[in-house]
Amino acid sequence: MNERDYIGKRGEAIFRFLITEWCDGKPWFDDNFLGEKQPIKDFIINLINPTSGDAVFYAQVKATNGKYVGTGRARKLKVKLSKKDTAKLKKAPGPAFLVGIDIVSKKGYFVQLSARSPQSFSSLPLRHRLNCRNIKKIWQKVDDYWKTRPMLPASSEFEP
Amino acid sequence: MNETENKFIVNRAETLAREFLTRRPEVVIHPFGDNDIHFVVTLDPSASLKIQGFSPFGVLVWGTDKSVSSEKAASGFATRQWKSEDERSKRRHTYFMPVIALLYSVKEDVGYYAWISEPHFPNDGPPKLIANEDLACTQIMRNSLDNIVQKVAEWYTRLAPVVILSA
């Protein structure tokens, strides 16, 4: 396995380790690796016991072996997502997150994609770390998102 | 414990096992669709690991949502688990390669490992495998995977001249 492949594999393993962490004595997310089947959406993450019935988000994971840019508050994790891939991730059929993993420190950072997100990423801010506090916050935000979007159509031409 | 809760414990234990096993780039995980062994792991040769050929070892993964606060408690849990697997399958497990068990307390993210089929290097003979019935757990630390990999690599290195006949 070459170094690049190893960084990718290790990044995946650390992301799964971080996102499925048990917080307050219980699991919050169940991960499903999509991998090569969905090139721009590495993972579909299911919320455990959502109030909205069924809730998921998509995650694209990028890993680095301890590479950062900037210093102090401007310090960022050096991971990239191209313009083309950012555009595809923005079209995910649900909340989508870009997650950067430092395989050396075993830490992960994330941003949620929105209409205001940049067209591409050359680094990721360290503001949102993947830890128990944010796991619970992501769970709540994604649950709220799906609660306002019932998937059942009001009517259908194929009704019995 | 219901089936769903048990599934999350199993999934988390497997995730922790993957995190542990990918700490070294030479270690390649192959999921093994069998109730007996969860992963077959192979070792790739590298600058720091002189090994030739296919060198697999087996990994069983167990999880619990109970606290496992010491190596003694982990050893007791692992031994009971191992004996119950023998009883469930109504046969004695026999392995012809090194096999470890990984045990995780998923609420605390604390892990232990134990040798089930343990490499042994007698002074006066070829390498052997000890089929342990009582499992002795060691808490997973920074160097645990290095110790496991070195022992497996040494076992295959010593086994090669015993089983391979050069033409």
Side-chain angles (χ1 to χ4, degrees), chain A residues 1 6 9-10 13-22 25-27 29-31 48-49 106, chain B residues 5 7-9 11-12 15-16 18-25 27-28 44 65 106-107 109:
Chain A
M1 191 184 298
Y6 173 66
K9 283 252 180 256
R10 180 71 178 145
I14 293 173
F15 170 71
R16 297 173 91 160
F17 164 75
L18 293 173
I19 198 69
T20 62
E21 183 174 1
W22 286 36
K26 61 178 185 176
F29 294 116
D30 192 19
D31 67 312
I48 295 172
N49 297 327
K106 260 172 67 174
Chain B
E5 285 168 345
K7 180 196 133 188
F8 292 129
I9 293 168
N11 286 356
R12 179 64 180 165
T15 297
L16 291 167
R18 283 179 182 276
E19 188 284 314
F20 172 63
L21 293 167
T22 55
R23 289 179 189 179
R24 281 184 68 132
V27 174
V28 182
D44 278 352
D65 59 350
V106 298
K107 279 188 183 172
D109 282 357

Side-chain angles (χ1 to χ4, degrees), chain B residues 60-62 70-86 92 95 99-103 112-118 130-138:
Chain B
L60 278 77
V61 184
W62 297 320
S70 67
E71 291 179 347
K72 189 180 170 192
S75 299
F77 183 99
T79 299
R80 283 192 300 278
Q81 187 75 21
W82 179 227
K83 287 183 175 169
S84 75
E85 298 219 349
D86 262 354
R92 180 105 196 278
Y95 299 113
V99 176
I100 59 167
L102 297 175
L103 166 64
Y112 299 86
Y113 75 94
W115 287 100
I116 287 178
S117 176
E118 182 174 8
I130 302 170
N132 287 316
E133 289 185 17
D134 293 320
L135 303 186
C137 284
T138 303

